[in-house]
Amino acid sequence: MFDKLKKIYQNIKNINKSVEDYQNESVIQSLPTVAYVNKAKKLIERKKYDEAKKILMSATDISGKDSLVYKYLGKIAEIQKNFKEASGYYERSALLNGDDREIWLRLGMSYLYSDVLENAINCFEKADKLSPNNTDVFTGWGMAYMKQKKYAQARDKFNTASKISKYNFTAILLSAVMEMRLKEYSIADEKLTFLVKVAPNEGSLYEYSHLKLIQGNLKEAELYAKRTLGVNRFMMPAYLLLGEIYSIQRDKEKTYQVFEEALAKKLENSILHFDWGKACVRLLDFEKAREQFNLALEKDSENNDAKIGLALLDAYNNDFSKLHELKEKNEQNVYIQEACGLEQMSIGNDKDALEYFTKALKTDSHQSYLHYDLALIHMKLKNNYKVRECFDKFVSENPKYIKGYVDYSKWLIEMADYEEAKRKLTKAQGLEPDNTEILNLLFYAHYTLVKKNICEYNIKVAISIAQQAIDLGNFEYTPQKQELEEMLNNLQLMS
């Protein structure tokens, strides 16, 4: 006991107790802990947080009933991002002085960042009663609702915050984000257009880019994503957004380049690899997609999105084991919906497959391989109009994907639409001149059309295509080629 009293006496003696140090913030001015608080405040202003904390902890030896001591201990913990610790100190401060107008805001924010959201909301309610029309209170309140995914309530709080202070650009930005979540894009557009003019920071520029992507304006989306990186070249979400934009445009080179740039900036994490894999799926580069999804899991074994991505890739190989583990809890995920469609198609449940593919396309219209899946299903259901529609959509969105042209052309040949098959195969040959499957199909289309309308030039073209396939060592229509050669000889003899 004596040693403790001696310590307290020494602490008091060492503190400068000049009248100037006593500020009006203390409830009981005569309490000696006020000197500790004032000394700590000066140290906090100089960012000497550890020293300030030591002094405040010493003050608790004098009295455990000074709310300001715990308030400033809370502020130090909050500054150092130790939000759970800050919550504990602020709680004690609030118990000692529940009428402090600031304490409930600070406690609410600490709960918010600790994800104790109901407690945060209760604190903001108390803060509003003590200090009505505080823009910061309503901003924090909205953030708590936002974390709970109560977007309409969050939007209302942010709107109130921005009405209280028209300079609360954070509240305006977050209200616009909530409008986007609620699919009220025109209102979000008005707010973000305003922000990129008066407060063009990384947040407003990024969200404006995101909105433009949602609205399908890829040119504007790209422009503002690049402007975001001009403000902060280490903002990873902007790289991910650009990667998505370029993959939707089917620009493989730019897509991979932007992810490589993010890696060069040392922004590598599980999310980056998942988004890269997602872009690869969109580009129909399934091998690269698998590589990226596996890297995402290496970085974070609990990355559920990467697991779902691998489940889709496995489904294309008729392996549905991963799908069975994931589909129950992720039924709204576009990859799960597509994989379920593939599973149903594999067992002959074509109508169920059609339902899954249609649902998936509504979930994500940029998941263009679904048009190919739908074409195959409609083919099985003998809905020829829909087969053509889906194949047309697929090849128009994926003009460099050979398999799309080949499978479409095979179906067109089955439908005896040789002219259209020839057009599609000619495009495919332009992409891969030495693809013998394309050359064989193209020859057969030409051969059939020549038989219907004999022309020396067309016969020569068909024979030339056959010769290319022969030179490459794989030609399947030798009798038909010989028939055309005889026709050509006869024509030349007659001329």
Side-chain angles (χ1 to χ4, degrees):
M1 175 65 78
F2 175 77
D3 287 341
K4 187 172 182 181
L5 290 171
K6 185 177 179 181
K7 180 183 176 183
I8 292 170
Y9 173 76
Q10 192 63 38
N11 284 336
I12 295 171
K13 185 178 178 182
N14 290 338
I15 294 290
N16 179 358
K17 298 190 290 295
S18 65
V19 175
E20 293 178 0
D21 287 343
Y22 290 83
Q23 298 196 2
N24 293 326
E25 198 172 19
S26 177
V27 177
I28 306 171
Q29 289 295 323
S30 59
L31 195 67
T33 52
V34 70
Y36 287 78
V37 171
N38 289 331
K39 183 71 174 177
K41 284 167 66 177
K42 290 181 179 179
L43 289 168
I44 291 170
E45 288 172 5
R46 291 158 57 193
K47 299 184 180 180
K48 295 186 176 183
Y49 304 121
D50 292 337
E51 291 180 41
K53 185 174 181 178
K54 284 181 182 178
I55 288 173
L56 291 167
M57 292 304 294
S58 296
T60 62
D61 290 333
I62 299 171
S63 171
K65 295 184 178 180
D66 189 335
S67 66
L68 285 178
V69 172
Y70 295 106
K71 179 177 179 177
Y72 281 96
L73 281 169
K75 285 193 175 187
I76 292 168
E78 188 179 0
I79 289 167
Q80 295 179 328
K81 302 188 185 304
N82 298 323
F83 298 112
K84 287 186 179 179
E85 184 181 323
S87 299
Y89 287 130
Y90 286 142
E91 283 170 4
R92 291 199 62 174
S93 181
L95 283 172
L96 292 166
N97 181 17
D99 293 327
D100 186 325
R101 292 186 176 187
E102 184 187 13
I103 198 67
W104 295 108
L105 170 60
R106 301 273 36 99
L107 179 55
M109 295 304 293
S110 296
Y111 279 140
L112 173 68
Y113 292 127
S114 303
D115 288 324
V116 188
L117 301 178
E118 285 300 330
N119 284 6
I121 289 168
N122 290 336
C123 288
F124 293 128
E125 288 174 352
K126 290 178 182 178
D128 183 47
K129 289 176 183 177
L130 286 171
S131 182
N133 297 321
N134 184 314
T135 189
D136 294 330
V137 168
F138 279 95
T139 302
W141 205 340
M143 289 168 72
Y145 281 131
M146 181 173 71
K147 281 195 167 189
Q148 290 182 328
K149 297 185 179 180
K150 296 177 180 178
Y151 301 130
Q153 289 165 276
R155 184 262 317 272
D156 292 343
K157 298 301 179 188
F158 292 137
N159 282 342
T160 302
S162 60
K163 286 176 183 175
I164 294 168
S165 172
K166 63 181 180 180
Y167 298 108
N168 189 339
F169 297 139
T170 299
I172 298 171
L173 175 62
L174 292 174
S175 68
V177 173
M178 294 304 96
E179 309 289 1
M180 289 164 65
R181 297 285 173 86
L182 295 166
K183 298 185 178 181
E184 296 178 5
Y185 300 125
S186 59
I187 301 172
D189 202 327
E190 288 178 15
K191 293 176 180 177
L192 290 170
T193 300
F194 165 74
L195 286 174
V196 296
K197 290 179 180 176
V198 301
N201 56 36
E202 62 189 69
S204 60
L205 292 168
Y206 170 80
E207 293 299 344
Y208 193 63
S209 173
H210 186 202
L211 176 61
K212 291 298 147 185
L213 173 60
I214 292 171
Q215 293 175 323
N217 189 337
L218 298 182
K219 185 176 180 181
E220 287 283 284
E222 179 186 358
L223 172 65
Y224 281 92
K226 287 180 175 179
R227 283 189 62 185
T228 304
L229 292 174
V231 174
N232 180 1
R233 61 194 179 96
F234 294 100
M235 188 176 179
M236 189 184 74
Y239 288 101
L240 304 185
L241 198 63
L242 270 177
E244 184 174 359
I245 292 163
Y246 291 140
S247 66
I248 290 170
Q249 293 174 328
R250 303 300 187 272
D251 192 326
K252 186 174 181 178
E253 184 178 349
K254 283 187 176 180
T255 300
Y256 289 3
Q257 183 181 357
V258 79
F259 285 111
E260 293 287 356
E261 286 176 10
L263 290 180
K265 297 287 189 303
K266 302 189 185 302
L267 299 174
E268 183 178 16
N269 63 17
S270 183
I271 295 171
L272 183 141
H273 284 295
F274 168 72
D275 272 53
W276 195 343
K278 189 177 178 182
C280 292
V281 170
R282 196 174 286 120
L283 292 164
L284 311 182
D285 188 349
F286 299 128
E287 184 178 344
K288 183 75 171 177
R290 184 177 293 278
E291 174 191 317
Q292 292 301 321
F293 289 146
N294 281 322
L295 284 170
L297 285 173
E298 283 181 22
K299 295 293 179 184
D300 178 7
S301 61
E302 299 303 314
N303 188 326
N304 197 55
D305 288 331
K307 293 177 184 178
I308 290 171
L310 288 170
L312 173 62
L313 297 179
D314 286 347
Y316 276 112
N317 294 322
N318 289 315
D319 177 359
F320 304 104
S321 56
K322 290 188 177 73
L323 172 64
H324 296 156
E325 300 169 13
L326 294 164
K327 64 181 179 182
E328 186 176 343
K329 293 183 179 179
N330 302 281
E331 59 183 16
Q332 298 306 314
N333 184 286
V334 65
Y335 287 178
I336 292 296
Q337 292 165 352
E338 185 171 358
C340 285
L342 292 167
E343 182 182 34
Q344 294 305 308
M345 185 165 65
S346 73
I347 58 178
N349 294 339
D350 298 329
K351 289 186 178 179
D352 289 341
L354 176 61
E355 186 176 336
Y356 273 117
F357 292 146
T358 304
K359 185 177 181 181
L361 198 57
K362 288 179 181 178
T363 301
D364 183 358
S365 62
H366 296 305
Q367 186 66 1
S368 70
Y369 206 75
L370 286 161
H371 295 297
Y372 178 85
D373 297 328
L374 284 165
L376 297 184
I377 281 293
H378 286 303
M379 202 183 296
K380 294 177 75 174
L381 294 171
K382 308 296 184 185
N383 189 338
N384 293 337
Y385 174 80
K386 281 291 186 180
V387 174
R388 190 181 294 268
E389 180 183 77
C390 292
F391 266 132
D392 279 337
K393 183 73 172 173
F394 179 73
V395 297
S396 69
E397 291 190 7
N398 302 280
K400 295 181 181 179
Y401 190 63
I402 297 296
K403 192 174 187 297
Y405 287 114
V406 170
D407 289 349
Y408 190 8
S409 299
K410 286 179 179 178
W411 178 80
L412 288 167
I413 288 170
E414 283 182 20
M415 296 296 106
D417 190 348
Y418 299 104
E419 191 64 50
E420 187 61 29
K422 183 183 77 171
R423 280 194 284 269
K424 295 293 183 288
L425 289 164
T426 301
K427 286 184 179 180
Q429 190 200 11
L431 296 170
E432 285 191 14
D434 295 335
N435 186 314
T436 54
E437 182 179 21
I438 294 170
L439 289 169
N440 275 282
L441 289 169
L442 186 57
F443 168 79
Y444 186 73
H446 273 275
Y447 163 78
T448 307
L449 290 168
V450 165
K451 292 268 289 181
K452 291 180 179 181
N453 183 18
I454 296 172
C455 166
E456 183 176 342
Y457 173 78
N458 290 338
I459 293 173
K460 287 181 178 179
V461 170
I463 292 172
S464 172
I465 293 167
Q467 191 59 50
Q468 288 180 62
I470 292 168
D471 292 343
L472 291 165
N474 181 18
F475 183 61
E476 301 172 5
Y477 298 99
T478 300
Q480 288 83 353
K481 175 177 178 287
Q482 290 173 348
E483 183 182 350
L484 290 183
E485 286 173 338
E486 288 177 9
M487 290 171 63
L488 181 62
N489 286 333
N490 290 334
L491 284 173
Q492 289 174 342
L493 287 172
M494 290 171 62
S495 60

